[in-house]
Amino acid sequence: MANNPLFPEDPDDTRAAIMEATFDALAEHGYSDLTINQVSQRFAKSEGLIFYHYDGKDEILLELLKYLLERVQKGRLPIADDVDPETRLRALLDNILPTGDEHQKRDYEKVLVELRTRAIHNEDYRECFNRSQMGFRESVREIIVAGIESGDFREVDPDSVADFILALVSGEIFDRITVDRHRTVRTELDDYIEDRLLAVEES
Amino acid sequence: MANNPLFPEDPDDTRAAIMEATFDALAEHGYSDLTINQVSQRFAKSEGLIFYHYDGKDEILLELLKYLLERVQKGRLPIADDVDPETRLRALLDNILPTGDEHQKRDYEKVLVELRTRAIHNEDYRECFNRSQMGFRESVREIIVAGIESGDFREVDPDSVADFILALVSGEIFDRITVDRHRTVRTELDDYIEDRLLAVEES
């Protein structure tokens, strides 16, 4: 519970408190073993209050998913649009693949993968992830299109590059929390930008 | 059940029949909603026989995971090692990101992601995926090292490239079954090989 920046420290904010308890319980137990009781153990108020607000596990988790996607979106550093496309692309990747507090990041990624696996069989989760992934994809695509127009990038296919970067970010997170791999793709991703995207300077 | 090449059609092979029933039930329901009863409904013999062989859900699913990793490994086309590193790398990717029967592939990927998400909280699953991912990673790494030695590839960092390709493959599968995205990263991956890995020919 200690100072997770995703959750404001306002004792009167019942929703945020339920969200934080749910987040912590999900990170610890995983979706299939999660019970409302585990959530309420992390929640200062009574279990009845949780049931009063939410009608079961998926309802509370969908709420958590929406809450997280909103917070993460808001928490991202704004990317100036008056800088060159290469700088914008690297700033976007800094936002999406942040370094920083390892423990909190790991919990966030665990929770994200647990919820996203739910999207295989549940349309409500799928819709949330469709929206968030398509938003990210569109941001990448726009930057690539701008870079081609300005002559900073080569004549690549913006859709293919956007899907490629999307898959790379998803895979980085999925690999990091499901197998013992401690390296990051970021260095090679920067080299990909350099060798594949940047226009070759004329000599 | 129709002609899934992962499961041999031998009516006396009880283990293969249980594995196929488990695979189908997991693809349809997902890990958290899966019950032994759903497996036995797909299995011609009695439920008692399943319980006789396996002690609960995780035991039968771990067996399925080992079975699948073994089969997939064996089912891969052998890659000739007397061809150049670029051809070997592309052949390896053909094996890992196959085209082919869309429905069967989708079920296989669903099952794989469900089982891999289990690895977040269960060491036994994690060990299996560690082994299979590290095996794939080592294959990529070896090809990159050989390519640098032969002068076919540039002086890239083999570890970084291996992790990059690993993440890309994981992300491709994870994206494909959890969000509505129907494109493949393969074209851009081929361009990455071209522009980032292949040595620049001297003119």
Side-chain angles (χ1 to χ4, degrees):
Chain A
M1 295 257 188
N3 292 326
N4 189 332
L6 288 167
F7 305 97
E9 293 224 39
D10 174 359
D12 292 331
D13 189 340
T14 302
R15 181 183 176 232
I18 294 180
M19 293 296 98
E20 184 165 11
T22 308
F23 177 94
D24 289 341
L26 182 58
E28 184 175 341
H29 299 284
Y31 176 85
S32 63
D33 294 330
L34 183 73
T35 63
I36 293 281
N37 185 44
Q38 286 156 354
V39 176
S40 68
Q41 280 171 11
R42 287 174 175 74
F43 182 59
K45 295 168 190 174
S46 81
E47 182 165 350
L49 196 56
I50 292 185
F51 283 115
Y52 179 80
H53 281 277
Y54 301 99
D55 195 21
K57 194 159 108 172
D58 278 317
E59 200 178 327
I60 195 170
L61 289 180
L62 273 165
E63 184 77 9
L64 174 66
L65 175 56
K66 285 168 195 164
Y67 180 93
L68 288 177
L69 293 177
E70 229 171 74
R71 287 265 149 187
V72 167
Q73 188 70 32
K74 274 189 205 156
R76 279 184 193 143
L77 300 172
I79 299 172
D81 53 9
D82 58 347
V83 294
D84 64 288
E86 182 190 350
T87 308
R88 280 172 66 203
L89 182 58
R90 294 198 205 259
L92 182 67
L93 295 172
D94 287 339
N95 273 340
I96 294 284
L97 292 173
T99 47
D101 187 312
E102 281 308 310
H103 176 69
Q104 269 168 12
K105 196 172 67 180
R106 234 184 126 74
D107 275 354
Y108 173 68
E109 291 175 348
K110 275 184 191 176
V111 161
L112 211 69
V113 169
E114 290 281 354
L115 295 173
R116 205 161 148 190
T117 297
R118 255 332 252 165
I120 301 176
H121 291 98
N122 184 311
E123 268 309 312
D124 296 329
Y125 290 86
R126 196 176 186 92
E127 246 173 60
C128 288
F129 282 109
N130 272 339
R131 226 175 305 126
S132 92
Q133 287 294 95
M134 288 312 107
F136 172 44
R137 185 185 186 285
E138 195 43 38
S139 304
V140 177
R141 207 187 151 279
E142 256 175 37
I143 295 174
I144 304 296
V145 169
I148 296 171
E149 274 170 19
S150 67
D152 288 294
F153 291 161
R154 298 193 211 181
E155 299 273 341
V156 293
D157 175 19
D159 287 299
S160 296
V161 171
D163 283 325
F164 188 82
I165 291 179
L166 223 67
L168 204 57
V169 171
S170 296
E172 160 88 354
I173 293 170
F174 198 36
D175 280 356
R176 188 153 59 196
I177 63 153
T178 59
V179 291
D180 298 328
R181 191 178 67 82
H182 303 288
R183 299 168 53 91
T184 160
V185 299
R186 189 55 200 274
T187 326
E188 187 59 24
L189 183 52
D190 281 325
D191 288 335
Y192 162 79
I193 295 172
E194 194 80 26
D195 290 344
R196 164 82 184 132
L197 300 186
L198 291 188
V200 183
E201 280 180 45
E202 294 180 35
S203 55
Chain B
M1 297 256 187
N3 292 324
N4 189 332
L6 288 168
F7 305 98
E9 291 225 41
D10 174 359
D12 291 331
D13 190 339
T14 302
R15 180 182 176 233
I18 295 180
M19 291 297 99
E20 184 165 11
T22 309
F23 178 93
D24 289 341
L26 182 57
E28 184 175 339
H29 299 285
Y31 176 85
S32 64
D33 294 331
L34 183 73
T35 62
I36 294 280
N37 187 43
Q38 287 155 355
V39 176
S40 67
Q41 279 170 12
R42 286 173 176 74
F43 182 59
K45 295 168 191 175
S46 81
E47 182 165 349
L49 197 56
I50 292 185
F51 282 116
Y52 178 79
H53 281 277
Y54 301 99
D55 196 21
K57 196 159 106 171
D58 277 317
E59 199 178 326
I60 194 169
L61 289 179
L62 273 165
E63 183 78 8
L64 174 66
L65 176 55
K66 285 169 196 164
Y67 181 93
L68 287 177
L69 294 177
E70 230 171 72
R71 288 264 148 186
V72 166
Q73 188 69 34
K74 275 190 204 154
R76 279 185 192 141
L77 300 172
I79 299 173
D81 52 9
D82 58 347
V83 294
D84 64 287
E86 182 191 351
T87 307
R88 280 172 65 203
L89 182 58
R90 294 198 205 261
L92 181 68
L93 295 172
D94 287 339
N95 272 342
I96 293 284
L97 293 173
T99 47
D101 187 311
E102 280 308 311
H103 176 69
Q104 269 169 12
K105 196 173 66 180
R106 235 185 125 73
D107 275 355
Y108 173 68
E109 291 175 348
K110 276 184 191 176
V111 161
L112 211 68
V113 170
E114 290 281 355
L115 295 173
R116 205 161 147 188
T117 298
R118 251 338 247 166
I120 302 175
H121 291 97
N122 183 311
E123 268 308 312
D124 296 329
Y125 290 86
R126 197 177 186 92
E127 245 174 60
C128 288
F129 282 109
N130 271 339
R131 227 175 304 126
S132 90
Q133 288 294 94
M134 287 313 106
F136 172 44
R137 185 185 185 284
E138 195 42 39
S139 305
V140 176
R141 209 187 150 278
E142 256 175 35
I143 295 174
I144 303 296
V145 169
I148 296 171
E149 274 170 18
S150 67
D152 288 293
F153 292 161
R154 299 194 211 179
E155 298 273 343
V156 293
D157 174 19
D159 287 301
S160 296
V161 171
D163 284 324
F164 188 81
I165 290 179
L166 222 66
L168 205 56
V169 170
S170 295
E172 160 89 354
I173 293 170
F174 198 36
D175 280 356
R176 188 153 59 195
I177 63 151
T178 59
V179 292
D180 297 328
R181 190 178 67 84
H182 303 289
R183 300 168 53 92
T184 161
V185 298
R186 189 56 201 272
T187 326
E188 187 59 23
L189 183 53
D190 282 325
D191 287 335
Y192 162 80
I193 294 172
E194 194 79 26
D195 290 344
R196 164 83 183 131
L197 300 186
L198 291 188
V200 183
E201 280 178 47
E202 294 180 35
S203 54

